[in-house]
Amino acid sequence: IRRAVDWCNANANTYNINVISMSIASSELYSTSCDSIPSYIILRNSINSAFANGISVVVATGNDGNTTAIAAPSCLTNSTAVGATNKDDTWASYSNYNSLVKLFAPGTDINSTCIETEGTYCSRTGTSMSTPMVSGAIAIINQLLESTSETLTPSEIETLLYENGDAITGMPNDFARIN
C-alpha cells in the first residue's frame, strides 16, 4: 500500500493525480490518531507526502458499527476518513466513526462490479462503497479548480465538502453526508 501511495506521489504531475482512494480497513480499531503506531509510520509518511503535494488520500473507516473508533489507515491524521450512510441519509449501523471522521457518503446497496461474475454488476454495502464516492467528488472539485486556475489543499476540499454536506438523520451535527 505504501508503494502504491509513493508511486502516486512520484507520478502526480505526469498523470495529474490529485486523489487516492483506499477502500481498505484494518481489523484493529483506533479511538484517536494512529500516527504513532509503529506498523503505520511508514504509510503515514507516504500519506503525509501526498497531502503536502496536494493529493487527497480518502480512506474507508471500516464496517464494525463502532461509534468511537475507526480502522487504519483512516485514523492517520492526513487521510480523509469516510463513513457510510444509507440512501435515506441515516447513519449506516455497520459504519465506524468517531471524532476523526467528518465526511460520510452512501454506502448501502450500491451498484458495483462483481468479482464473482466478470462483466456483471451486483449490490454491495460498506464504507468501501462510500469512499470512492467521496474520492470522485474530490476529483470533480479538483477538475473544476484546475479549469479556473485555482487550487485548494486537501484540508480545504474536505472542509468544503463538510460545510456543503447534508445532515445525517440521527447523528450529531459534527458529520455531513457529501452533497
Side-chain angles (χ1 to χ4, degrees):
I1 295 167
R2 178 200 43 86
R3 286 185 192 146
V5 174
D6 289 344
W7 186 92
C8 289
N9 284 328
N11 291 282
N13 291 332
T14 303
Y15 296 105
N16 196 24
I17 297 168
N18 54 41
V19 63
I20 298 169
S21 188
M22 292 187 184
S23 288
I24 58 173
S26 65
S27 57
E28 301 86 18
L29 300 180
Y30 301 91
S31 58
T32 60
S33 167
C34 59
D35 286 4
S36 62
I37 304 296
S39 57
Y40 296 113
I41 289 175
I42 293 173
L43 181 57
R44 177 203 68 197
N45 294 342
S46 295
I47 288 173
N48 287 349
S49 292
F51 183 86
N53 290 322
I55 301 171
S56 297
V57 182
V58 185
V59 188
T61 59
N63 303 315
D64 304 290
N66 195 305
T67 60
T68 60
I70 60 176
S74 67
C75 53
L76 292 170
T77 300
N78 284 326
S79 69
T80 299
V82 177
T85 64
N86 298 308
K87 291 182 180 181
D88 63 357
D89 286 340
T90 57
W91 168 64
S93 61
Y94 57 82
S95 176
N96 298 341
Y97 73 90
N98 66 6
S99 62
L100 298 174
V101 182
K102 289 169 51 175
L103 300 178
F104 284 72
T108 303
D109 296 326
I110 304 300
N111 199 30
S112 183
T113 54
C114 286
I115 279 181
E116 303 85 8
T117 312
E118 186 176 325
T120 62
Y121 295 91
C122 52
S123 181
R124 295 286 188 238
T125 293
T127 57
S128 287
M129 297 291 104
S130 305
T131 299
M133 292 195 186
V134 173
S135 300
I138 291 170
I140 290 168
I141 290 168
N142 278 315
Q143 187 175 25
L144 175 64
L145 291 168
E146 186 177 320
S147 73
T148 59
S149 299
E150 298 176 64
T151 59
L152 291 175
T153 67
S155 292
E156 291 169 330
I157 293 172
E158 185 176 348
T159 298
L160 180 72
L161 287 170
Y162 172 76
E163 289 176 350
N164 291 283
D166 292 333
I168 301 169
T169 306
M171 288 188 78
N173 289 333
D174 298 343
F175 308 100
R177 195 257 305 141
I178 64 165
N179 183 346

